[in-house]
Amino acid sequence: MEEKFIDLMKEKGCHGELFQIKNYRLKVNFDNNKFKSIEEGETSGVAVRLKKNNKLGFSFSTDSKDLEGTIKRAYENADVSQEVSFDFAKASTVPQVSCFDKEIVELARDEIINTGKENIEFIASQKSGIQGFFSMDKSLLYEKIITTEGFSDEFNRSVLTVQAGGVVAEQGNFTWVFGEIGRSSKSLIDLNILKEKIEKNLKHAEKNVKIESGKYPVIFTPFAIGDLFYPLKMALDGRNVVKGVSILKDKLNQEIFSRQLTIVNDPLLEHGLVSSPFDGEGIPSERKELVSNGKLMGFLTDLFSAGRLNMKPGNAARSLTSQPKPMPSNITINGGTEKLKDLLNLKKAIIIENLMGVGMGNMEGGEVTGNIDLGYLVENGEIIGRVKDSMISTNILEAFKDVILSSETIWTHAISSPYMLISDVSVSTKG
Amino acid sequence: MNVDEIRSLVRRNDVDYIEVRLEEGVASDIAISGREIDSISRGKIGGGNARVLISGIWGFVYFNDLSELKEKIESAISQAKTLKGTVDEKVDLAYVKPVEIVNTVNVKKDPDSLSFNDRVDLLMHYSEVALSTDKKVVNTMISYREQKKNIYFANSEGTYVQREMLDLSGFIIPMSSDGREIQRTLVTFGSNSDFSVAENLDTVVREKSLLAVKLLEAEVPKGGEFPVIADNPLGGVFIHEAFGHLSEGDFLAEDPKMREIMKIGNVFGSKILNVFDTGDIDGHRGTLFYDDEGVPTKKAYLIKEGVLSSHLHSRETAAKMKEDATGNGRAVSYRFPPIPRMRITCIDNGKDRVEDFVKDIKYGVYAKGSFGGQTNGELFTFVSEYAYLIEDGKISKLLKNVSLSGNVFETLKNIVGIADDFRIEDTGGGCGKGEQNPLPVSDGSPHLLISKAIIGGK
């Protein structure tokens, strides 16, 4: 493949990059407290980026044998495409990263089914009438990048992802509890985290309590951090900084958040969910501190934005059909000094397990506005009951300024986070 | 694609049921910000799956290399066979009459009637229109997506459906800033057959750009519970999120409590409320004459005069609930098996006038447009594009950052007025359910008067 690609690019007189992907997946689904189905398959394809008169052509095909056709289409598309001045990745030494686990490769379907059965029985036993669901997804990914500048490397990643939870539907009261975890090592998948979350939440959600609209201290659990992180991710996106639409664009090296907050992007994390030796453009992976003790240290960049911002690239991610763009890798948000129970020791606060509808708010502006899908009222350290029919509204620029972090942290999916206490959040409710 | 070969491969008697789906086509994506192209993507997509039922247990295998079809059929069969004894599922499929049909799209304006270059230029032009409207319009976010594919479906019952699929959609988002905050508005379009929905948008882009600037000075609403007038796009999003998902058979079939809540005959709203889901209105993203199980789609009245009258089914969920198949079995691509999904979901036309809604509100919100919505079954939430405060029966201030939410069941009952201005909306994006995202759908509604909903605000 390599020789053929280089030859074809020579013929066209272009610099270029070839991306090849193969993904085998086996997913076992349980729903309504029992086994439902298996989905199994392999997808693959090739994608080409090339520069023609400084314009970037891109095309892809799910037919991996159609390299010539893909190059031809990329060449044609270049005429209408974006202007770029960056060069594709050069030959480099690429770090060693642990992201392939033989145990995941050898994990047999029937073993997954048995694990599923155990877990679904656990969920079903938690509450009468609960409809439990559980899915375990084994994925074996292969990626290869070749460039005309000399880069040529490939890697394999094995990933195990688990989603588990249940829904209790009663007239006038729906309760969804769920969680998701994933790593590239089987031994790091701790299903007890999910079991505990499900058990605790069902217990806390047994009673509903009424609250008044107003301002509250709000604690986001690690499972809810994704919603706070989304607008932050948009603001840290190098491309958004280039476009002038990041709320952090002029704030590099400034102390913008609480000194307690340190956020690191780590593609080298051992057995991380999305760990890789090089990014989606063939740039060798490096750990990057995005926020250090409240100070903004860097942005997530790809070749395009790195070039414009005069920074290092290395945070590009892609799928077969999409061009690479900046994306967070494994993210660690450090813990603080206070234990969760001390953090909760407030006169009145709301603890949020899950928000709904956040994606539609003004996230470019840093807004986090959403429904409290699952959340509780805390009074003097005790969880009193579930809060319903309420919305919260806050902005990360303010929220992260005075955030207090618990010492406990949990890995959920690709973010490791503590519990976060934000002191002044608007809560609107019925009545 | 050898039709006879595909059909012969599914004529087997060692399975209870087998179907294959093959597809091939081209997917294009254009993303623009400001005066720059973010990315252009255009390439070939193709793949297939085999889905098999043996003694009530499913086997499902997908692949990209269409030459592997035979081998993958054997894999799916072996998958289902070896599950026997390990698991207790027992799936049945609702009866449908086998059909043999080649279904083509009634193309009004093919996107390929313009060169790809011209399509890109058109979107760049809209960006320029937005940016040149006002210096406070600092950026735009423009996205256009297009899929053109042929889908081949054959099953062991003798059904063969070969259908052309064209889906085009996009949005143009002008973004304004005064240095302190960012606001945005939305122009959106979509079709299954007509590229002209993406043309001649200069005027509306200009209007929306001016509005984005005005929103910078607008007020944030007071949070709380108020009467709300929802316009057509918002009404459409509401019914899709608030009720459409609840009606999907896979959510109901095996949950006795949900089946009770969603029992046919239960009252969900007043007599003025009629809600339907259909595939047979041509020209829309959700248009679908044959679903992905080869079932001819037909109009399903979910609510008739306030009373629940139907659910949305795949063949499996229809059988589980002992109801008829409705033609809602859809898969976003060959990568996934069909599950109950919506098509064109609407609140039917009413008799009232919007002017009368405004007159009767002492303090409330007239919410317009939508950036989308979400539901957890009980609670719905959506963000409107912008809104107006209504005070003492008159439209007053412009409002921004307006989110609405409420309890689904209560809000349906709180629809106290339905206007006579029904419209179907086709927007960019699509419906998400699990990993099957984005699925082309449409929704429709007249203006609605909701006696109370929760507005998120300061």
Side-chain angles (χ1 to χ4, degrees):
Chain A
M1 172 89 66
E2 181 160 358
E3 260 183 57
K4 189 169 177 208
F5 173 69
I6 303 289
D7 288 340
L8 287 166
M9 294 309 295
K10 262 211 185 98
E11 255 176 54
K12 287 266 190 275
C14 294
H15 294 271
E17 167 204 84
L18 171 67
F19 174 76
Q20 187 188 7
I21 187 170
K22 280 191 216 166
N23 192 2
Y24 164 82
R25 273 178 78 175
L26 173 65
K27 188 164 183 233
V28 177
N29 300 308
F30 284 75
D31 203 351
N32 302 114
N33 305 330
K34 55 191 180 36
F35 170 84
K36 274 297 162 97
S37 65
I38 307 246
E39 289 161 38
E40 184 177 12
E42 179 157 310
T43 50
S44 58
V46 289
V48 168
R49 290 198 300 170
L50 54 78
K51 283 200 301 187
K52 177 179 165 191
N53 304 325
N54 280 327
K55 289 213 168 178
L56 186 74
F58 173 75
S59 185
F60 56 85
S61 179
T62 50
D63 181 359
S64 302
K65 298 188 220 85
D66 187 23
L67 186 55
E68 275 189 65
T70 306
I71 291 176
K72 179 162 170 278
R73 280 189 303 274
Y75 191 76
E76 283 162 6
N77 292 340
D79 293 328
V80 305
S81 197
Q82 69 263 45
E83 288 221 9
V84 292
S85 55
F86 63 77
D87 293 326
F88 296 113
K90 294 193 270 293
S92 8
T93 16
V94 142
Q96 286 276 63
V97 176
S98 305
C99 56
F100 191 75
D101 180 12
K102 233 174 92 197
E103 276 190 30
I104 294 180
V105 179
E106 288 165 0
L107 184 59
R109 180 197 74 181
D110 288 356
E111 193 186 332
I112 298 178
I113 292 179
N114 287 332
T115 303
K117 278 186 179 168
E118 261 172 53
N119 279 273
I120 209 75
E121 272 167 29
F122 171 84
I123 298 171
S125 69
Q126 290 308 297
K127 193 172 167 80
S128 147
I130 190 170
Q131 297 294 315
F133 54 88
F134 178 92
S135 75
M136 187 174 262
D137 190 338
K138 162 180 154 175
S139 162
L140 304 175
L141 178 74
Y142 165 82
E143 282 185 18
K144 182 178 187 131
I145 294 180
I146 301 168
T147 70
T148 51
E149 317 318 296
F151 184 88
S152 172
D153 213 329
E154 61 188 21
F155 75 97
N156 285 285
R157 187 200 298 135
S158 63
V159 166
L160 203 55
T161 318
V162 178
Q163 292 184 333
V167 54
V168 184
E170 253 132 29
Q171 186 77 48
N173 208 38
F174 279 36
T175 309
W176 288 83
V177 297
F178 63 90
E180 183 175 354
I181 55 176
R183 292 300 283 267
S184 55
S185 154
K186 179 162 174 277
S187 59
L188 289 176
I189 298 289
D190 182 3
L191 293 174
N192 289 320
I193 294 176
L194 295 179
K195 282 184 169 154
E196 217 179 274
K197 180 180 202 280
I198 293 168
E199 195 175 12
K200 270 206 189 115
N201 276 292
L202 286 172
K203 200 166 127 251
H204 294 321
E206 251 158 30
K207 183 171 137 208
N208 292 335
V209 292
K210 266 231 97 213
I211 57 165
E212 307 269 304
S213 299
K215 298 232 179 202
Y216 287 78
V218 170
I219 296 147
F220 284 79
T221 74
F223 285 95
I225 292 304
D227 289 326
L228 277 181
F229 193 71
Y230 207 90
L232 183 60
K233 179 176 90 162
M234 292 184 85
L236 290 170
D237 184 333
R239 289 211 182 201
N240 286 337
V241 177
V242 169
K243 287 180 216 169
V245 297
S246 159
I247 50 175
L248 297 179
K249 69 177 187 326
D250 300 317
K251 306 210 193 301
L252 201 55
N253 295 318
Q254 288 178 33
E255 197 175 297
I256 50 168
F257 296 141
S258 155
R259 291 218 174 128
Q260 283 200 23
L261 200 56
T262 293
I263 302 176
V264 177
N265 186 63
D266 191 0
L268 301 176
L269 181 78
E270 208 169 296
H271 308 304
L273 183 68
V274 287
S275 297
S276 59
F278 51 87
D279 80 344
E281 295 181 303
I283 306 298
S285 294
E286 269 181 45
R287 238 175 127 263
K288 185 186 262 184
E289 230 176 25
L290 296 166
V291 174
S292 178
N293 297 114
K295 198 174 181 196
L296 180 65
M297 304 301 289
F299 299 113
L300 295 168
T301 51
D302 58 350
L303 282 167
F304 174 79
S305 54
R308 294 283 188 95
L309 296 172
N310 204 15
M311 292 177 181
K312 277 169 98 175
N315 310 118
R318 68 197 295 173
S319 68
L320 174 67
T321 59
S322 68
Q323 288 201 38
K325 48 182 181 279
M327 276 285 270
S329 175
N330 306 300
I331 293 280
T332 49
I333 304 174
N334 65 307
T337 48
E338 287 196 47
K339 285 219 150 301
L340 176 62
K341 64 172 174 57
D342 296 327
L343 217 68
L344 286 173
N345 200 6
L346 294 158
K347 200 156 154 241
K348 211 175 211 171
I350 309 253
I351 185 166
I352 292 184
E353 196 67 53
N354 190 54
L355 284 179
M356 191 178 71
V358 179
M360 292 152 299
N362 187 355
M363 287 198 305
E364 296 92 359
E367 288 270 318
V368 176
T369 300
N371 258 309
I372 301 177
D373 177 40
L374 193 60
Y376 310 101
L377 176 67
V378 178
E379 272 175 359
N380 300 316
E382 291 288 319
I383 291 184
I384 304 297
R386 185 181 173 195
V387 165
K388 302 274 305 278
D389 301 320
S390 304
M391 296 185 74
I392 66 146
S393 190
T394 185
N395 188 298
I396 56 162
L397 284 177
E398 273 113 60
F400 285 155
K401 273 205 174 89
D402 64 4
V403 69
I404 299 174
L405 311 172
S406 70
S407 53
E408 299 93 328
T409 60
I410 302 179
W411 267 107
T412 69
H413 218 234
I415 303 181
S416 168
S417 170
Y419 293 75
M420 291 194 179
L421 168 60
I422 295 163
S423 44
D424 221 19
V425 178
S426 244
V427 180
S428 315
T429 190
K430 262 172 74 164
Chain B
M1 210 58 59
N2 187 332
V3 176
D4 292 326
E5 196 192 328
I6 300 169
R7 296 192 71 178
S8 72
L9 284 172
V10 295
R11 259 178 238 124
R12 299 181 69 125
N13 45 26
D14 55 344
V15 299
D16 297 333
Y17 171 83
I18 178 170
E19 71 185 31
V20 300
R21 172 186 171 130
L22 301 170
E23 60 184 69
E24 56 178 5
V26 176
S28 312
D29 201 303
I30 301 169
I32 288 167
S33 327
R35 295 186 170 92
E36 288 197 29
I37 294 173
D38 262 355
S39 66
I40 303 247
S41 166
R42 193 162 159 86
K44 278 185 155 180
I45 47 173
N49 67 51
R51 196 166 71 132
V52 159
L53 205 53
I54 299 180
S55 307
I57 301 174
W58 281 120
F60 180 78
V61 171
Y62 60 86
F63 50 93
N64 275 130
D65 187 346
L66 300 180
S67 69
E68 289 179 347
L69 176 57
K70 243 192 195 158
E71 189 191 309
K72 298 298 176 180
I73 289 177
E74 297 306 324
S75 286
I77 290 175
S78 143
Q79 198 194 85
K81 267 206 180 114
T82 56
L83 283 171
K84 193 171 177 187
T86 315
V87 293
D88 280 322
E89 189 53 345
K90 183 77 180 73
V91 170
D92 249 318
L93 299 176
Y95 171 77
V96 285
K97 201 164 142 208
V99 292
E100 290 181 41
I101 189 142
V102 174
N103 189 212
T104 55
V105 176
N106 183 10
V107 180
K108 294 192 198 71
K109 183 163 189 176
D110 194 328
D112 287 324
S113 64
L114 276 80
S115 70
F116 196 58
N117 205 344
D118 286 343
R119 275 173 268 177
V120 176
D121 282 348
L122 178 62
L123 297 169
M124 288 295 281
H125 165 76
Y126 290 139
S127 200
E128 193 55 51
V129 168
L131 292 167
S132 59
T133 308
D134 187 300
K135 66 176 194 282
K136 289 212 178 99
V137 179
V138 297
N139 197 31
T140 59
M141 207 162 90
I142 299 185
S143 164
Y144 173 76
R145 282 211 162 138
E146 193 188 290
Q147 262 202 42
K148 227 186 194 187
K149 51 189 189 183
N150 285 312
I151 303 170
Y152 308 84
F153 176 89
N155 73 18
S156 47
E157 294 168 352
T159 288
Y160 179 74
V161 175
Q162 183 178 321
R163 64 181 183 96
E164 277 178 354
M165 184 191 125
L166 169 61
D167 179 50
L168 65 97
S169 68
F171 49 80
I172 300 159
I173 296 178
M175 291 167 70
S176 63
S177 178
D178 56 6
R180 283 166 301 138
E181 70 174 275
I182 297 173
Q183 283 295 326
R184 56 197 179 132
T185 51
L186 176 69
V187 174
T188 184
F189 57 86
S191 174
N192 76 334
S193 54
D194 191 359
F195 186 75
S196 68
V197 300
E199 297 177 313
N200 301 310
L201 297 175
D202 284 31
T203 306
V204 68
V205 169
R206 214 170 277 126
E207 281 169 9
K208 286 297 176 81
S209 301
L210 289 171
L211 178 62
V213 174
K214 285 212 188 85
L215 282 173
L216 293 166
E217 303 300 312
E219 277 182 30
V220 174
K222 185 173 90 181
E225 201 174 22
F226 308 110
V228 171
I229 299 174
D231 73 352
N232 313 76
L234 204 45
V237 168
F238 167 71
I239 201 64
H240 173 104
E241 292 304 337
F243 196 69
H245 281 297
L246 270 185
S247 305
E248 287 165 349
D250 52 354
F251 185 56
L252 307 175
E254 288 181 82
D255 185 343
K257 290 199 172 138
M258 276 313 304
R259 287 179 74 149
E260 194 48 50
I261 292 171
M262 295 294 288
K263 196 165 74 175
I264 297 199
N266 283 355
V267 174
F268 272 77
S270 77
K271 280 203 154 68
I272 59 172
L273 184 65
N274 295 288
V275 176
F276 65 86
D277 180 277
T278 190
D280 65 6
I281 305 175
D282 205 356
H284 301 286
R285 293 191 72 200
T287 299
L288 192 70
F289 294 103
Y290 294 87
D291 77 1
D292 294 320
E293 293 186 295
V295 179
T297 69
K298 44 187 193 212
K299 189 171 187 176
Y301 262 96
L302 303 179
I303 295 179
K304 242 192 178 137
E305 290 179 16
V307 176
L308 197 143
S309 60
S310 167
H311 303 117
L312 301 175
H313 285 302
S314 63
R315 292 182 66 185
E316 177 179 345
T317 63
K320 279 211 172 97
M321 292 182 72
K322 297 194 171 53
E323 294 171 6
D324 290 338
T326 54
N328 286 86
R330 302 183 66 188
V332 73
S333 75
Y334 63 88
R335 273 268 290 108
F336 303 98
I339 54 174
R341 299 301 295 270
M342 287 177 263
R343 303 163 301 190
I344 304 171
T345 314
C346 305
I347 294 179
D348 215 343
N349 211 14
K351 299 198 168 83
D352 302 321
R353 300 181 326 141
V354 187
E355 306 87 80
D356 296 333
F357 293 167
V358 179
K359 274 194 244 148
D360 295 330
I361 293 176
K362 191 159 163 57
Y363 188 94
V365 170
Y366 184 165
K368 286 180 161 282
S370 169
F371 280 108
Q374 254 192 296
T375 186
N376 67 1
E378 177 190 29
L379 203 56
F380 70 88
T381 186
F382 43 69
V383 174
S384 67
E385 196 186 343
Y386 61 107
Y388 290 101
L389 190 61
I390 301 174
E391 291 175 295
D392 297 317
K394 290 203 180 63
I395 294 175
S396 70
K397 307 182 194 139
L398 181 64
L399 299 172
K400 66 185 174 192
N401 301 354
V402 182
S403 318
L404 288 95
S405 74
N407 177 284
V408 162
F409 306 101
E410 282 173 30
T411 308
L412 281 168
K413 292 208 167 95
N414 289 338
I415 297 176
V416 296
I418 301 181
D420 58 358
D421 60 355
F422 173 80
R423 212 172 71 200
I424 294 180
E425 303 288 327
D426 283 291
T427 62
C431 176
K433 183 170 167 179
E435 280 186 275
Q436 295 217 37
N437 182 21
L439 184 73
V441 292
S442 312
D443 44 57
S445 177
H447 271 77
L448 305 173
L449 173 62
I450 302 169
S451 58
K452 53 185 174 171
I454 304 171
I455 303 282
K458 295 283 174 259

